[in-house]
Amino acid sequence: MSADAQILREYKNIDIFIKDQNHAIVIENKIKSGINGIRHDLQSGAIRSQLDKYSKIADRQDAGGRAKCFLLLPDYSYADRELAKFHEYERYLVIRYSTLLKIFETHECSLKFYDEFKDALRKHASEYKKDFYEIMQERLIMTTLQHRSQ
């Protein structure tokens, strides 16, 4: 990528699209959803999805015709287990949130809210969905406190 690269958000529904004169990169973040836009190609038997559409959009803007494609997944997501059934699935490199967290934890940054950003990553770098765990933990604490006061 060159210094004149553009970083676009929600470009043709692609979460993050990065391009310069010669290259294109698709980054699809599946933090709150699975693979969408699923349709069956009756002629070829392939199962196509939004991932197929996005890689084709990027390929048209990549000088080599073969853009790089990444799929960001929380560690608790099982979306990658379904990938093999989709046409063009091998185009996408799956990157787990725990990998992102390791990268950001090894680099210091003076940007405002950097620590909060890492905390948000940490929630999705767990093998279980912490939202539910945290809710249950709070309920247990409240129940325990209520029983102690009786």
Side-chain angles (χ1 to χ4, degrees), residues 33-50:
S33 70
I35 309 301
N36 298 313
I38 299 168
R39 63 195 185 288
H40 298 272
D41 185 333
L42 298 176
Q43 290 180 348
S44 69
I47 301 174
R48 300 190 184 276
S49 71
Q50 68 184 129

Side-chain angles (χ1 to χ4, degrees), residues 22-111:
N22 300 310
H23 306 285
I25 297 172
V26 170
I27 301 175
E28 191 61 18
N29 187 18
K30 290 297 170 194
I31 198 163
K32 293 192 176 191
S33 70
I35 309 301
N36 298 313
I38 299 168
R39 63 195 185 288
H40 298 272
D41 185 333
L42 298 176
Q43 290 180 348
S44 69
I47 301 174
R48 300 190 184 276
S49 71
Q50 68 184 129
L51 301 179
D52 184 53
K53 173 185 163 188
Y54 298 163
S55 63
K56 285 181 179 164
I57 289 169
D59 285 347
R60 285 192 291 272
Q61 296 194 38
D62 191 279
R66 191 86 171 150
K68 301 291 185 204
C69 302
F70 300 92
L71 189 61
L72 304 181
L73 293 177
D75 286 36
Y76 54 77
S77 172
Y78 298 109
D80 59 326
R81 293 181 185 174
E82 298 178 12
L83 281 179
K85 70 181 179 183
F86 296 113
H87 180 68
E88 295 281 329
Y89 82 92
E90 74 281 349
R91 293 285 306 276
Y92 285 81
L93 174 63
V94 173
I95 300 173
R96 293 288 182 175
Y97 268 69
S98 56
T99 302
L100 292 175
L101 180 61
K102 285 177 190 172
I103 292 167
F104 285 105
E105 284 183 330
T106 59
H107 294 86
E108 289 300 319
C109 181
S110 61
L111 288 174

Side-chain angles (χ1 to χ4, degrees), residues 13-26:
N13 296 104
I14 298 169
D15 289 339
I16 301 172
F17 187 68
I18 305 170
K19 67 176 184 164
D20 68 8
Q21 296 174 357
N22 300 310
H23 306 285
I25 297 172
V26 170

